[in-house]
Amino acid sequence: MKMPCEVTVIFTEDFDTVTVSDGHVPYVVTIGKDRVPVEDLPVKSGFSFKISVTLYDGTTQIFIESTKKKKGSGKIVEDIAVYQIPAESAPNGEIKYPKPAAIAGARLDDLDAAVVRLEQRLGGGG
């Protein structure tokens, strides 16, 4: 059985590009007066929009892909997350990107790099 569902996507970081899709086709949202596909859009932290998704037998998936330059190195970091809706959405239909686990992983990478720099400074070599 198919059923419509509204989901609010909230970005908690800045990204150079984001694409939000059903795994095949980008969702279309209204920004200002324009209807645009959510494909390779730049977003700032706090930006949000609503999308209408279709639940099949009570569930669906939302795919969010992003790129951004890593501070300092300029290296492009790519990420993709898959959300199971409604299981991974808040009761009010909100999802936040990146997922909290992804934030923790990025912080662990930064911490690991800081430990390596500290070891090098202290002569531990790493």
Side-chain angles (χ1 to χ4, degrees):
M1 175 165 54
K2 295 186 338 183
M3 186 169 82
C5 176
E6 193 169 84
V7 176
T8 301
V9 181
I10 302 169
F11 295 91
T12 59
E13 296 180 17
D14 296 347
F15 293 96
D16 295 328
T17 66
V18 296
T19 297
V20 181
S21 73
D22 64 3
H24 302 286
V25 179
Y27 288 102
V28 177
V29 298
T30 301
I31 299 178
K33 296 180 182 179
D34 300 320
R35 300 264 309 146
V36 296
V38 184
E39 183 171 36
D40 296 329
L41 292 179
V43 298
K44 296 287 185 191
S45 180
F47 181 73
S48 67
F49 53 77
K50 291 183 180 187
I51 56 175
S52 181
V53 301
T54 301
L55 300 179
Y56 296 93
D57 295 324
T59 188
T60 195
Q61 294 180 322
I62 296 173
F63 294 75
I64 302 179
E65 301 172 61
S66 68
T67 63
K68 70 177 178 177
K69 289 183 183 168
K70 190 168 183 164
K71 291 179 182 174
S73 70
K75 177 182 172 187
I76 301 290
V77 178
E78 297 179 357
D79 186 46
I80 185 168
V82 180
Y83 292 80
Q84 303 296 326
I85 305 300
E88 292 185 275
S89 61
N92 62 358
E94 291 181 352
I95 59 173
K96 293 184 179 181
Y97 182 82
K99 290 183 177 183
I103 293 171
R107 288 188 179 143
L108 286 176
D109 289 345
D110 291 342
L111 181 58
D112 183 53
V115 168
V116 169
R117 286 191 305 273
L118 183 59
E119 286 176 340
Q120 290 170 344
R121 242 183 34 214
L122 295 175

